[in-house]
Amino acid sequence: MLFFKSVPEILPPSLDATAEQPPLFDGITKLYTCYTCPFAQRVWIARNFKGLQDEIKLVPLILQNRPAWYSEKVYPPNKVPSLEHKGKITGESLDLIKYLESNFQGPSLLHEDPAKKEFTGELLSYSDTFNRTVFTSFKGDIAKEAGPAFDHLENALHKFDDGPFFLGQEFSLVDIAYITFVERFYIFLSEVFKHDITAGRPKLTAWIEEVNKIEAYKQTKTDPKEMIETYKNKFMA
C-alpha cells in the first residue's frame, strides 16, 4: 500500500470575514475547507492519500465567521467542502472524493471488484443515516438508539475478512466516509456519556486503530478538546 507525502505540510491560516478573496479561476486547484468540519475532512484525507498536496491548495475558512465572498462569488450553498478545478466549483464531500478519484493521479480509493463496488455503494448510501441516528441519540438513550448503528458497522467490517478495512486489505473511500464522524463519536460519547462504542465490537476497534496509522488521515485530525466543546454547545445546550 502506497502512502505519499508522509511529512506533515505547513497548513495555511484559516480565513475569516475580514480576509481577502483568493483569485478565482486562476489555474490553481483549490479545496475550500474547514479544519474542524468532518465533511470537509473527508476530501482532505483523500487529497492527502492520493499525494495531491502540491496539486490542490487548501483554502481553509472559519465557518463561524466565514467571508461573505465565499457564498457570493465562490459557492452559493455557502458550505464546505468545495473544489475549484478547471473553471468550475463543485461541492458535496462524497461526490468530491469520487471526483478526485476520476480526475487526479495517485493510489486508488475505489476498487474494481464487483462485490466491493456494490458494497461501497451500500455503505455510502447508509452513511447519512448512520450519522443522523447517532446525533439524534445524544438526547436519548445512547446504547439503545445508537447501538444498532455501530453494530451495522461492526457487521459490515466482517464482509471482507482479509483485512481491517471495510473492503478488506484496501483503504478506500468507504473508510474515509465513516472515520471523520466515528472519530468524533468515539471521543464525544466516551467523554460526555462514558459510553464506549468499541465495547463488544472487536472489528470496529481494530478498524479505528488501523485508520489511525494512516498518515493521510492523521494529518487531518481535529483537536479533541475543541471538538468536545463544540459538540456540547451544539447538541447539549
Side-chain angles (χ1 to χ4, degrees):
M1 189 180 295
L2 297 173
F3 299 106
F4 286 75
K5 305 283 186 180
S6 61
V7 177
E9 63 185 313
I10 298 174
L11 300 178
S14 297
L15 307 181
D16 64 11
T18 67
E20 291 187 14
Q21 180 186 354
L24 191 63
F25 303 137
D26 60 352
I28 297 175
T29 302
K30 302 180 187 72
L31 174 60
Y32 294 89
T33 187
C34 171
Y35 293 140
T36 59
C37 172
F39 293 100
Q41 187 185 2
R42 287 169 165 172
V43 190
W44 188 9
I45 296 167
R47 163 192 178 265
N48 291 358
F49 187 80
K50 294 181 76 66
L52 301 172
Q53 287 90 331
D54 293 336
E55 293 185 53
I56 301 178
K57 177 184 177 182
L58 296 178
V59 182
L61 307 177
I62 297 177
L63 297 186
Q64 297 83 353
N65 188 26
R66 70 194 78 184
W69 49 255
Y70 183 62
S71 63
E72 293 170 359
K73 299 179 180 179
V74 179
Y75 190 55
N78 205 24
K79 302 185 296 183
V80 292
S82 68
L83 186 74
E84 175 186 333
H85 184 235
K86 292 187 175 179
K88 66 177 182 178
I89 306 287
T90 51
E92 299 300 329
S93 61
L94 296 182
D95 291 341
L96 285 178
I97 295 174
K98 296 173 186 176
Y99 185 89
L100 294 190
E101 185 70 19
S102 300
N103 290 274
F104 294 88
Q105 298 295 314
S108 179
L109 287 164
L110 284 171
H111 301 283
E112 293 304 313
D113 178 88
K116 291 185 177 181
K117 289 180 73 171
E118 180 180 0
F119 197 51
T120 294
E122 292 175 11
L123 286 175
L124 294 184
S125 296
Y126 177 68
S127 63
D128 284 344
T129 299
F130 170 78
N131 294 334
R132 186 168 55 250
T133 299
V134 179
F135 280 126
T136 301
S137 76
F138 291 177
K139 294 186 180 296
D141 184 326
I142 300 291
K144 183 177 180 180
E145 296 177 27
F150 290 110
D151 287 341
H152 189 99
L153 299 193
E154 176 71 15
N155 293 333
L157 286 161
H158 283 270
K159 175 80 170 181
F160 298 103
D161 224 8
D162 58 334
F165 304 113
F166 281 107
L167 301 185
Q169 294 181 357
E170 305 118 328
F171 181 73
S172 73
L173 60 80
V174 180
D175 303 293
I176 292 175
Y178 280 94
I179 191 57
T180 65
F181 288 92
V182 171
E183 68 163 335
R184 288 164 171 80
F185 296 149
Y186 185 26
I187 295 167
F188 184 71
L189 293 178
S190 176
E191 177 69 24
V192 177
F193 295 98
K194 309 305 176 190
H195 179 80
D196 181 4
I197 66 171
T198 64
R201 300 184 181 104
K203 284 285 188 180
L204 187 63
T205 304
W207 174 73
I208 293 172
E209 291 176 353
E210 288 301 314
V211 176
N212 268 284
K213 296 176 183 177
I214 295 176
E215 290 295 333
Y217 165 66
K218 288 163 64 176
Q219 295 172 21
T220 71
K221 293 182 70 172
T222 191
D223 177 73
K225 292 182 179 179
E226 182 180 349
M227 184 276 296
I228 289 169
E229 287 308 308
T230 298
Y231 272 31
K232 280 183 177 178
N233 293 333
K234 186 172 183 179
F235 297 107
M236 307 300 292

PDB file of all heavy atoms in Angstrom, residues 59-86:
ATOM      1  N   VAL A  59      -7.755  26.052   1.022  1.00  0.00           N
ATOM      2  CA  VAL A  59      -8.224  27.384   1.389  1.00  0.00           C
ATOM      3  C   VAL A  59      -9.172  27.202   2.570  1.00  0.00           C
ATOM      4  O   VAL A  59     -10.378  27.006   2.397  1.00  0.00           O
ATOM      5  CB  VAL A  59      -8.938  28.093   0.223  1.00  0.00           C
ATOM      6  CG1 VAL A  59      -9.368  29.501   0.642  1.00  0.00           C
ATOM      7  CG2 VAL A  59      -8.038  28.155  -1.011  1.00  0.00           C
ATOM      8  N   PRO A  60      -8.634  27.217   3.797  1.00  0.00           N
ATOM      9  CA  PRO A  60      -9.463  26.962   4.982  1.00  0.00           C
ATOM     10  C   PRO A  60     -10.251  28.193   5.407  1.00  0.00           C
ATOM     11  O   PRO A  60      -9.744  29.321   5.374  1.00  0.00           O
ATOM     12  CB  PRO A  60      -8.434  26.578   6.041  1.00  0.00           C
ATOM     13  CG  PRO A  60      -7.194  27.307   5.631  1.00  0.00           C
ATOM     14  CD  PRO A  60      -7.214  27.376   4.128  1.00  0.00           C
ATOM     15  N   LEU A  61     -11.498  27.967   5.801  1.00  0.00           N
ATOM     16  CA  LEU A  61     -12.381  29.040   6.252  1.00  0.00           C
ATOM     17  C   LEU A  61     -12.767  28.840   7.702  1.00  0.00           C
ATOM     18  O   LEU A  61     -12.826  27.711   8.195  1.00  0.00           O
ATOM     19  CB  LEU A  61     -13.654  29.080   5.400  1.00  0.00           C
ATOM     20  CG  LEU A  61     -13.492  29.140   3.879  1.00  0.00           C
ATOM     21  CD1 LEU A  61     -14.865  29.102   3.217  1.00  0.00           C
ATOM     22  CD2 LEU A  61     -12.714  30.372   3.456  1.00  0.00           C
ATOM     23  N   ILE A  62     -13.047  29.932   8.398  1.00  0.00           N
ATOM     24  CA  ILE A  62     -13.632  29.873   9.734  1.00  0.00           C
ATOM     25  C   ILE A  62     -15.146  29.950   9.551  1.00  0.00           C
ATOM     26  O   ILE A  62     -15.691  31.007   9.220  1.00  0.00           O
ATOM     27  CB  ILE A  62     -13.118  31.021  10.620  1.00  0.00           C
ATOM     28  CG1 ILE A  62     -11.600  30.883  10.822  1.00  0.00           C
ATOM     29  CG2 ILE A  62     -13.850  31.034  11.970  1.00  0.00           C
ATOM     30  CD1 ILE A  62     -10.983  32.014  11.617  1.00  0.00           C
ATOM     31  N   LEU A  63     -15.822  28.851   9.737  1.00  0.00           N
ATOM     32  CA  LEU A  63     -17.240  28.781   9.393  1.00  0.00           C
ATOM     33  C   LEU A  63     -18.104  29.687  10.267  1.00  0.00           C
ATOM     34  O   LEU A  63     -19.131  30.195   9.819  1.00  0.00           O
ATOM     35  CB  LEU A  63     -17.729  27.333   9.489  1.00  0.00           C
ATOM     36  CG  LEU A  63     -17.076  26.342   8.518  1.00  0.00           C
ATOM     37  CD1 LEU A  63     -17.756  24.988   8.627  1.00  0.00           C
ATOM     38  CD2 LEU A  63     -17.127  26.854   7.082  1.00  0.00           C
ATOM     39  N   GLN A  64     -17.695  29.885  11.516  1.00  0.00           N
ATOM     40  CA  GLN A  64     -18.484  30.735  12.408  1.00  0.00           C
ATOM     41  C   GLN A  64     -18.397  32.206  12.021  1.00  0.00           C
ATOM     42  O   GLN A  64     -19.212  33.018  12.452  1.00  0.00           O
ATOM     43  CB  GLN A  64     -18.021  30.565  13.862  1.00  0.00           C
ATOM     44  CG  GLN A  64     -18.212  29.174  14.443  1.00  0.00           C
ATOM     45  CD  GLN A  64     -17.083  28.213  14.068  1.00  0.00           C
ATOM     46  OE1 GLN A  64     -16.208  28.561  13.265  1.00  0.00           O
ATOM     47  NE2 GLN A  64     -17.106  27.020  14.645  1.00  0.00           N
ATOM     48  N   ASN A  65     -17.419  32.539  11.198  1.00  0.00           N
ATOM     49  CA  ASN A  65     -17.225  33.924  10.768  1.00  0.00           C
ATOM     50  C   ASN A  65     -16.692  33.918   9.337  1.00  0.00           C
ATOM     51  O   ASN A  65     -15.680  34.523   9.029  1.00  0.00           O
ATOM     52  CB  ASN A  65     -16.249  34.642  11.714  1.00  0.00           C
ATOM     53  CG  ASN A  65     -16.146  36.127  11.451  1.00  0.00           C
ATOM     54  OD1 ASN A  65     -17.081  36.742  10.938  1.00  0.00           O
ATOM     55  ND2 ASN A  65     -15.009  36.704  11.782  1.00  0.00           N
ATOM     56  N   ARG A  66     -17.421  33.223   8.473  1.00  0.00           N
ATOM     57  CA  ARG A  66     -16.917  32.998   7.121  1.00  0.00           C
ATOM     58  C   ARG A  66     -17.036  34.260   6.262  1.00  0.00           C
ATOM     59  O   ARG A  66     -17.939  35.072   6.456  1.00  0.00           O
ATOM     60  CB  ARG A  66     -17.619  31.816   6.474  1.00  0.00           C
ATOM     61  CG  ARG A  66     -19.069  32.023   6.110  1.00  0.00           C
ATOM     62  CD  ARG A  66     -19.758  30.710   5.799  1.00  0.00           C
ATOM     63  NE  ARG A  66     -20.106  29.994   7.023  1.00  0.00           N
ATOM     64  CZ  ARG A  66     -20.658  28.779   7.051  1.00  0.00           C
ATOM     65  NH1 ARG A  66     -20.897  28.123   5.940  1.00  0.00           N
ATOM     66  NH2 ARG A  66     -20.950  28.206   8.199  1.00  0.00           N
ATOM     67  N   PRO A  67     -16.144  34.385   5.292  1.00  0.00           N
ATOM     68  CA  PRO A  67     -16.170  35.564   4.425  1.00  0.00           C
ATOM     69  C   PRO A  67     -17.426  35.606   3.553  1.00  0.00           C
ATOM     70  O   PRO A  67     -17.884  34.582   3.052  1.00  0.00           O
ATOM     71  CB  PRO A  67     -14.919  35.393   3.555  1.00  0.00           C
ATOM     72  CG  PRO A  67     -14.066  34.391   4.282  1.00  0.00           C
ATOM     73  CD  PRO A  67     -15.010  33.500   5.003  1.00  0.00           C
ATOM     74  N   ALA A  68     -17.962  36.806   3.364  1.00  0.00           N
ATOM     75  CA  ALA A  68     -19.162  36.958   2.531  1.00  0.00           C
ATOM     76  C   ALA A  68     -18.882  36.573   1.082  1.00  0.00           C
ATOM     77  O   ALA A  68     -19.775  36.065   0.378  1.00  0.00           O
ATOM     78  CB  ALA A  68     -19.664  38.396   2.605  1.00  0.00           C
ATOM     79  N   TRP A  69     -17.642  36.781   0.625  1.00  0.00           N
ATOM     80  CA  TRP A  69     -17.326  36.469  -0.774  1.00  0.00           C
ATOM     81  C   TRP A  69     -17.455  34.987  -1.097  1.00  0.00           C
ATOM     82  O   TRP A  69     -17.619  34.613  -2.267  1.00  0.00           O
ATOM     83  CB  TRP A  69     -15.928  36.975  -1.165  1.00  0.00           C
ATOM     84  CG  TRP A  69     -14.796  36.631  -0.257  1.00  0.00           C
ATOM     85  CD1 TRP A  69     -14.158  37.459   0.612  1.00  0.00           C
ATOM     86  CD2 TRP A  69     -14.115  35.356  -0.143  1.00  0.00           C
ATOM     87  NE1 TRP A  69     -13.139  36.812   1.272  1.00  0.00           N
ATOM     88  CE2 TRP A  69     -13.083  35.520   0.824  1.00  0.00           C
ATOM     89  CE3 TRP A  69     -14.272  34.119  -0.749  1.00  0.00           C
ATOM     90  CZ2 TRP A  69     -12.224  34.473   1.191  1.00  0.00           C
ATOM     91  CZ3 TRP A  69     -13.423  33.071  -0.388  1.00  0.00           C
ATOM     92  CH2 TRP A  69     -12.425  33.260   0.572  1.00  0.00           C
ATOM     93  N   TYR A  70     -17.423  34.139  -0.060  1.00  0.00           N
ATOM     94  CA  TYR A  70     -17.475  32.703  -0.345  1.00  0.00           C
ATOM     95  C   TYR A  70     -18.824  32.324  -0.964  1.00  0.00           C
ATOM     96  O   TYR A  70     -18.880  31.636  -1.990  1.00  0.00           O
ATOM     97  CB  TYR A  70     -17.209  31.893   0.926  1.00  0.00           C
ATOM     98  CG  TYR A  70     -17.191  30.397   0.676  1.00  0.00           C
ATOM     99  CD1 TYR A  70     -16.247  29.829  -0.163  1.00  0.00           C
ATOM    100  CD2 TYR A  70     -18.129  29.557   1.261  1.00  0.00           C
ATOM    101  CE1 TYR A  70     -16.228  28.466  -0.422  1.00  0.00           C
ATOM    102  CE2 TYR A  70     -18.117  28.189   1.025  1.00  0.00           C
ATOM    103  CZ  TYR A  70     -17.177  27.645   0.180  1.00  0.00           C
ATOM    104  OH  TYR A  70     -17.167  26.293  -0.079  1.00  0.00           O
ATOM    105  N   SER A  71     -19.921  32.771  -0.368  1.00  0.00           N
ATOM    106  CA  SER A  71     -21.238  32.450  -0.929  1.00  0.00           C
ATOM    107  C   SER A  71     -21.582  33.324  -2.126  1.00  0.00           C
ATOM    108  O   SER A  71     -22.283  32.886  -3.049  1.00  0.00           O
ATOM    109  CB  SER A  71     -22.328  32.598   0.134  1.00  0.00           C
ATOM    110  OG  SER A  71     -22.419  33.938   0.580  1.00  0.00           O
ATOM    111  N   GLU A  72     -21.078  34.538  -2.126  1.00  0.00           N
ATOM    112  CA  GLU A  72     -21.434  35.478  -3.189  1.00  0.00           C
ATOM    113  C   GLU A  72     -20.716  35.178  -4.502  1.00  0.00           C
ATOM    114  O   GLU A  72     -21.291  35.336  -5.587  1.00  0.00           O
ATOM    115  CB  GLU A  72     -21.118  36.910  -2.741  1.00  0.00           C
ATOM    116  CG  GLU A  72     -21.997  37.389  -1.584  1.00  0.00           C
ATOM    117  CD  GLU A  72     -21.504  38.702  -0.992  1.00  0.00           C
ATOM    118  OE1 GLU A  72     -20.472  39.218  -1.466  1.00  0.00           O
ATOM    119  OE2 GLU A  72     -22.151  39.211  -0.051  1.00  0.00           O
ATOM    120  N   LYS A  73     -19.446  34.746  -4.406  1.00  0.00           N
ATOM    121  CA  LYS A  73     -18.642  34.633  -5.619  1.00  0.00           C
ATOM    122  C   LYS A  73     -18.067  33.238  -5.872  1.00  0.00           C
ATOM    123  O   LYS A  73     -17.641  32.939  -6.992  1.00  0.00           O
ATOM    124  CB  LYS A  73     -17.498  35.644  -5.563  1.00  0.00           C
ATOM    125  CG  LYS A  73     -17.972  37.088  -5.484  1.00  0.00           C
ATOM    126  CD  LYS A  73     -16.794  38.043  -5.407  1.00  0.00           C
ATOM    127  CE  LYS A  73     -17.262  39.493  -5.320  1.00  0.00           C
ATOM    128  NZ  LYS A  73     -16.116  40.445  -5.228  1.00  0.00           N
ATOM    129  N   VAL A  74     -18.029  32.403  -4.828  1.00  0.00           N
ATOM    130  CA  VAL A  74     -17.393  31.095  -4.990  1.00  0.00           C
ATOM    131  C   VAL A  74     -18.415  29.969  -5.022  1.00  0.00           C
ATOM    132  O   VAL A  74     -18.600  29.294  -6.041  1.00  0.00           O
ATOM    133  CB  VAL A  74     -16.352  30.840  -3.867  1.00  0.00           C
ATOM    134  CG1 VAL A  74     -15.705  29.461  -4.043  1.00  0.00           C
ATOM    135  CG2 VAL A  74     -15.276  31.921  -3.862  1.00  0.00           C
ATOM    136  N   TYR A  75     -19.131  29.770  -3.915  1.00  0.00           N
ATOM    137  CA  TYR A  75     -20.012  28.604  -3.784  1.00  0.00           C
ATOM    138  C   TYR A  75     -21.305  29.036  -3.088  1.00  0.00           C
ATOM    139  O   TYR A  75     -21.354  29.103  -1.861  1.00  0.00           O
ATOM    140  CB  TYR A  75     -19.299  27.505  -2.999  1.00  0.00           C
ATOM    141  CG  TYR A  75     -20.002  26.163  -2.999  1.00  0.00           C
ATOM    142  CD1 TYR A  75     -20.355  25.534  -4.194  1.00  0.00           C
ATOM    143  CD2 TYR A  75     -20.288  25.497  -1.812  1.00  0.00           C
ATOM    144  CE1 TYR A  75     -20.986  24.308  -4.206  1.00  0.00           C
ATOM    145  CE2 TYR A  75     -20.911  24.260  -1.806  1.00  0.00           C
ATOM    146  CZ  TYR A  75     -21.264  23.666  -3.010  1.00  0.00           C
ATOM    147  OH  TYR A  75     -21.882  22.438  -3.019  1.00  0.00           O
ATOM    148  N   PRO A  76     -22.358  29.329  -3.837  1.00  0.00           N
ATOM    149  CA  PRO A  76     -23.605  29.862  -3.266  1.00  0.00           C
ATOM    150  C   PRO A  76     -24.215  29.045  -2.122  1.00  0.00           C
ATOM    151  O   PRO A  76     -24.785  29.641  -1.195  1.00  0.00           O
ATOM    152  CB  PRO A  76     -24.539  29.905  -4.483  1.00  0.00           C
ATOM    153  CG  PRO A  76     -23.618  30.148  -5.631  1.00  0.00           C
ATOM    154  CD  PRO A  76     -22.385  29.326  -5.315  1.00  0.00           C
ATOM    155  N   PRO A  77     -24.106  27.697  -2.106  1.00  0.00           N
ATOM    156  CA  PRO A  77     -24.641  26.970  -0.945  1.00  0.00           C
ATOM    157  C   PRO A  77     -23.959  27.341   0.373  1.00  0.00           C
ATOM    158  O   PRO A  77     -24.478  27.030   1.448  1.00  0.00           O
ATOM    159  CB  PRO A  77     -24.392  25.502  -1.303  1.00  0.00           C
ATOM    160  CG  PRO A  77     -24.401  25.477  -2.792  1.00  0.00           C
ATOM    161  CD  PRO A  77     -23.741  26.761  -3.193  1.00  0.00           C
ATOM    162  N   ASN A  78     -22.766  27.977   0.286  1.00  0.00           N
ATOM    163  CA  ASN A  78     -22.057  28.503   1.460  1.00  0.00           C
ATOM    164  C   ASN A  78     -21.636  27.414   2.432  1.00  0.00           C
ATOM    165  O   ASN A  78     -21.568  27.639   3.645  1.00  0.00           O
ATOM    166  CB  ASN A  78     -22.928  29.548   2.176  1.00  0.00           C
ATOM    167  CG  ASN A  78     -22.102  30.546   2.972  1.00  0.00           C
ATOM    168  OD1 ASN A  78     -20.930  30.775   2.686  1.00  0.00           O
ATOM    169  ND2 ASN A  78     -22.711  31.148   3.985  1.00  0.00           N
ATOM    170  N   LYS A  79     -21.371  26.219   1.896  1.00  0.00           N
ATOM    171  CA  LYS A  79     -20.917  25.101   2.722  1.00  0.00           C
ATOM    172  C   LYS A  79     -19.513  24.686   2.284  1.00  0.00           C
ATOM    173  O   LYS A  79     -19.064  25.033   1.201  1.00  0.00           O
ATOM    174  CB  LYS A  79     -21.867  23.898   2.579  1.00  0.00           C
ATOM    175  CG  LYS A  79     -23.320  24.164   2.935  1.00  0.00           C
ATOM    176  CD  LYS A  79     -24.129  22.884   2.864  1.00  0.00           C
ATOM    177  CE  LYS A  79     -24.189  22.311   1.458  1.00  0.00           C
ATOM    178  NZ  LYS A  79     -25.028  21.095   1.367  1.00  0.00           N
ATOM    179  N   VAL A  80     -18.856  23.956   3.146  1.00  0.00           N
ATOM    180  CA  VAL A  80     -17.608  23.299   2.763  1.00  0.00           C
ATOM    181  C   VAL A  80     -17.832  21.794   2.890  1.00  0.00           C
ATOM    182  O   VAL A  80     -18.680  21.361   3.676  1.00  0.00           O
ATOM    183  CB  VAL A  80     -16.414  23.737   3.663  1.00  0.00           C
ATOM    184  CG1 VAL A  80     -16.076  25.191   3.421  1.00  0.00           C
ATOM    185  CG2 VAL A  80     -16.672  23.478   5.133  1.00  0.00           C
ATOM    186  N   PRO A  81     -17.096  21.038   2.084  1.00  0.00           N
ATOM    187  CA  PRO A  81     -16.039  21.434   1.161  1.00  0.00           C
ATOM    188  C   PRO A  81     -16.594  21.846  -0.206  1.00  0.00           C
ATOM    189  O   PRO A  81     -17.718  21.507  -0.569  1.00  0.00           O
ATOM    190  CB  PRO A  81     -15.223  20.157   1.032  1.00  0.00           C
ATOM    191  CG  PRO A  81     -16.278  19.078   1.104  1.00  0.00           C
ATOM    192  CD  PRO A  81     -17.261  19.570   2.137  1.00  0.00           C
ATOM    193  N   SER A  82     -15.772  22.572  -0.945  1.00  0.00           N
ATOM    194  CA  SER A  82     -16.000  22.778  -2.364  1.00  0.00           C
ATOM    195  C   SER A  82     -14.644  22.791  -3.047  1.00  0.00           C
ATOM    196  O   SER A  82     -13.627  23.091  -2.426  1.00  0.00           O
ATOM    197  CB  SER A  82     -16.768  24.078  -2.634  1.00  0.00           C
ATOM    198  OG  SER A  82     -15.983  25.213  -2.331  1.00  0.00           O
ATOM    199  N   LEU A  83     -14.659  22.454  -4.319  1.00  0.00           N
ATOM    200  CA  LEU A  83     -13.409  22.339  -5.070  1.00  0.00           C
ATOM    201  C   LEU A  83     -13.466  23.228  -6.299  1.00  0.00           C
ATOM    202  O   LEU A  83     -14.426  23.170  -7.083  1.00  0.00           O
ATOM    203  CB  LEU A  83     -13.175  20.885  -5.497  1.00  0.00           C
ATOM    204  CG  LEU A  83     -11.837  20.588  -6.175  1.00  0.00           C
ATOM    205  CD1 LEU A  83     -10.704  20.586  -5.149  1.00  0.00           C
ATOM    206  CD2 LEU A  83     -11.885  19.245  -6.915  1.00  0.00           C
ATOM    207  N   GLU A  84     -12.448  24.052  -6.463  1.00  0.00           N
ATOM    208  CA  GLU A  84     -12.279  24.878  -7.654  1.00  0.00           C
ATOM    209  C   GLU A  84     -11.306  24.174  -8.586  1.00  0.00           C
ATOM    210  O   GLU A  84     -10.134  24.000  -8.253  1.00  0.00           O
ATOM    211  CB  GLU A  84     -11.743  26.252  -7.247  1.00  0.00           C
ATOM    212  CG  GLU A  84     -11.403  27.173  -8.409  1.00  0.00           C
ATOM    213  CD  GLU A  84     -10.747  28.455  -7.950  1.00  0.00           C
ATOM    214  OE1 GLU A  84     -10.986  28.893  -6.801  1.00  0.00           O
ATOM    215  OE2 GLU A  84      -9.967  29.031  -8.746  1.00  0.00           O
ATOM    216  N   HIS A  85     -11.820  23.741  -9.740  1.00  0.00           N
ATOM    217  CA  HIS A  85     -10.970  22.968 -10.668  1.00  0.00           C
ATOM    218  C   HIS A  85     -11.461  23.146 -12.090  1.00  0.00           C
ATOM    219  O   HIS A  85     -12.657  22.987 -12.371  1.00  0.00           O
ATOM    220  CB  HIS A  85     -11.010  21.477 -10.289  1.00  0.00           C
ATOM    221  CG  HIS A  85     -10.118  20.612 -11.110  1.00  0.00           C
ATOM    222  ND1 HIS A  85     -10.579  19.504 -11.795  1.00  0.00           N
ATOM    223  CD2 HIS A  85      -8.785  20.687 -11.387  1.00  0.00           C
ATOM    224  CE1 HIS A  85      -9.581  18.917 -12.428  1.00  0.00           C
ATOM    225  NE2 HIS A  85      -8.486  19.619 -12.210  1.00  0.00           N
ATOM    226  N   LYS A  86     -10.565  23.511 -12.956  1.00  0.00           N
ATOM    227  CA  LYS A  86     -10.858  23.660 -14.382  1.00  0.00           C
ATOM    228  C   LYS A  86     -12.048  24.577 -14.644  1.00  0.00           C
ATOM    229  O   LYS A  86     -12.955  24.252 -15.424  1.00  0.00           O
ATOM    230  CB  LYS A  86     -11.078  22.289 -15.029  1.00  0.00           C
ATOM    231  CG  LYS A  86      -9.815  21.440 -15.078  1.00  0.00           C
ATOM    232  CD  LYS A  86     -10.023  20.166 -15.872  1.00  0.00           C
ATOM    233  CE  LYS A  86      -8.705  19.391 -16.011  1.00  0.00           C
ATOM    234  NZ  LYS A  86      -8.880  18.129 -16.756  1.00  0.00           N
TER     235      LYS A  86
END
